[in-house]
Amino acid sequence: GENVEQHPSTLSVQEGDSAVIKCTYSDSASNYFPWYKQELGKRPQLIIDIRSNVGEKKDQRIAVTLNKTAKHFSLHITETQPEDSAVYFCAASKAGGGNKLTFGTGTQLKVEL
Amino acid sequence: GAVVSQHPSRVICKSGTSVKIECRSLDFQATTMFWYRQFPKQSLMLMATSNEGSKATYEQGVEKDKFLINHASLTLSTLTVTSAHPEDSSFYICSVIKGGAEAFFGQGTRLTVV
């Protein structure tokens, strides 16, 4: 089955700095890669996703890059703000082929003032 | 998007009793729903895939007789934790897939077994 690894497990940045979280996946058939933000006790919230036919996607301060050859994808958050502090999860699935999401281990992001 | 409602949001039960968690897709007919479990400070782990009108598909290591799943309609799936023990205490969360890929999650259920 799919295996998703995520690094780092914790990340502390100063407000205004950029944050980068990296994930690797094992199943070359995976074609959908979402990123979720989860606050304590709440449901995961989709912040951005990318499909395997695209190499990069951006939405305001958030961007995701995908390298299919290397089987890794990354989340980039620019101009971080205190409200960006949360746990972030990457995930991978085969859209249209079961859709089971395999999650990474999570990154606790802390944005300090 | 899709609106997914999960109930209850929190439940405390005694060891040895059973607890039922409901997951409703309010605006979307879902032939498939997914159940995840999340222990404190850990990731979401898929427990099973709930299939409307047929048996659920369980992930390796998940006891099907302990975690009973029923998906009797296109808008409702239930997860029953039978003979609950303290080690079953966790955050249980369901999801549906809409648009071919995007997952929409319920609010989650915090189960505490005492």
Side-chain angles (χ1 to χ4, degrees):
Chain A
E2 176 67 275
N3 181 49
V4 179
E5 296 188 355
Q6 183 171 347
H7 299 280
S9 57
T10 60
L11 179 59
S12 185
V13 299
Q14 294 292 314
E15 183 181 8
D17 287 350
S18 296
V20 180
I21 303 171
K22 298 182 178 182
C23 288
T24 60
Y25 61 100
S26 61
D27 190 345
S28 56
S30 290
N31 55 14
Y32 177 67
F33 307 93
W35 285 89
Y36 295 93
K37 176 183 180 182
Q38 187 181 31
E39 297 178 348
L40 191 62
K42 300 289 182 64
R43 77 186 89 191
Q45 295 282 352
L46 178 71
I47 56 171
I48 197 166
D49 57 10
I50 192 167
R51 294 176 186 258
S52 59
N53 59 347
V54 177
E56 185 174 356
K57 184 176 178 181
K58 189 174 181 181
D59 182 4
Q60 299 182 353
R61 296 187 298 111
I62 296 172
V64 57
T65 58
L66 171 66
N67 183 327
K68 284 191 299 182
T69 303
K71 294 205 281 290
H72 65 69
F73 56 114
S74 301
L75 176 71
H76 304 253
I77 305 175
T78 58
E79 301 172 29
T80 54
Q81 302 166 1
E83 50 266 38
D84 293 330
S85 297
V87 179
Y88 291 80
F89 292 99
C90 62
S93 74
K94 299 173 195 173
N99 293 114
K100 292 195 298 185
L101 278 171
T102 301
F103 285 84
T105 46
T107 297
Q108 175 73 62
L109 174 64
K110 184 177 181 181
V111 180
E112 298 177 330
L113 296 171
Chain B
V3 180
V4 182
S5 178
Q6 198 171 328
H7 179 81
S9 57
R10 289 178 178 272
V11 58
I12 300 173
C13 71
K14 291 185 177 180
S15 188
T17 62
S18 296
V19 173
K20 181 185 283 188
I21 303 169
E22 294 186 347
C23 179
R24 293 183 183 273
S25 177
L26 299 183
D27 62 346
F28 173 64
Q29 292 187 325
T31 55
T32 301
M33 293 186 181
F34 299 91
W35 286 97
Y36 294 86
R37 178 169 54 185
Q38 185 177 31
F39 291 110
K41 296 189 178 182
Q42 293 190 24
S43 187
L44 287 83
M45 299 298 294
L46 180 65
M47 298 176 65
T49 302
S50 173
N51 303 299
E52 188 268 336
S54 64
K55 292 182 179 180
T57 305
Y58 290 82
E59 295 300 302
Q60 193 171 12
V62 178
E63 300 175 60
K64 62 180 181 180
D65 294 330
K66 181 169 181 64
F67 299 98
L68 301 179
I69 290 173
N70 184 279
H71 193 154
S73 78
L74 290 171
T75 59
L76 174 65
S77 175
T78 61
L79 169 68
T80 301
V81 183
T82 63
S83 187
H85 291 285
E87 56 265 32
D88 298 324
S89 298
S90 188
F91 189 59
Y92 292 86
I93 191 164
C94 65
S95 78
V96 302
I97 301 292
K98 189 177 181 183
E102 186 175 349
F104 295 88
F105 292 90
Q107 309 96 307
T109 297
R110 173 72 59 193
L111 170 63
T112 303
V113 185
V114 298

